[in-house]
Amino acid sequence: MESLKATYQLACKETKDRTELAKKSWAIKLGNEVNDLNVTPKQAWQAAYEIRDGVKGHHTTPAPKIFKDLNGKLATTKEENINNVETHFTKCALTVAALSLCGYDLPCNDD
């Protein structure tokens, strides 16, 4: 069991070392791209921004959608936003139900 643990720890260390090496070589490659005279200014700036943002710079956290209440006031707390979302979708569901009762053929109906 100890040899398995030692093998696992060695594999983890090797993976971490290789990851760090790959990140460094990536940054060096982009740095050389910026210093290269054969690229356009736009390409050089893109490479500079990539270096600045790092490896995970292209990942962004989406901003939560904030709903307005019936009076047009934006929600300021999570609870208000939940109530506004509930009101919005209830109103949408009632509108769809009313339209389908009036004979409108809606694409979202399963009829």
Side-chain angles (χ1 to χ4, degrees):
M1 192 64 157
E2 285 297 317
S3 65
L4 264 145
K5 185 177 180 181
T7 304
Y8 173 74
Q9 289 173 340
L10 183 63
C12 286
K13 183 183 179 327
E14 188 175 327
T15 301
K16 185 177 178 181
D17 291 344
R18 286 184 183 200
T19 302
E20 285 299 313
L21 185 63
K23 287 179 183 179
K24 286 178 184 176
S25 65
W26 171 78
I28 289 170
K29 177 185 154 280
L30 286 179
N32 290 337
E33 215 174 274
V34 170
N35 290 327
D36 188 9
L37 297 177
N38 295 331
V39 296
T40 65
K42 181 179 180 178
Q43 292 169 327
W45 278 109
Q46 284 175 338
Y49 291 142
E50 282 184 48
I51 292 171
R52 181 196 64 192
D53 294 339
V55 176
K56 295 185 179 181
H58 60 282
H59 293 285
T60 57
T61 305
K65 175 75 174 152
I66 300 174
F67 282 74
K68 293 180 181 179
D69 63 8
L70 295 175
N71 299 326
K73 180 184 165 212
L74 282 174
T76 55
T77 64
K78 283 185 178 182
E79 291 76 22
E80 283 181 12
N81 200 37
I82 290 170
N83 289 336
N84 294 349
V85 169
E86 182 181 10
T87 304
H88 171 76
F89 286 109
T90 302
K91 185 177 167 185
C92 289
L94 292 174
T95 302
V96 168
L99 287 173
S100 62
L101 284 175
C102 292
Y104 286 97
D105 187 25
L106 299 174
C108 59
N109 281 352
D110 295 328
D111 296 337

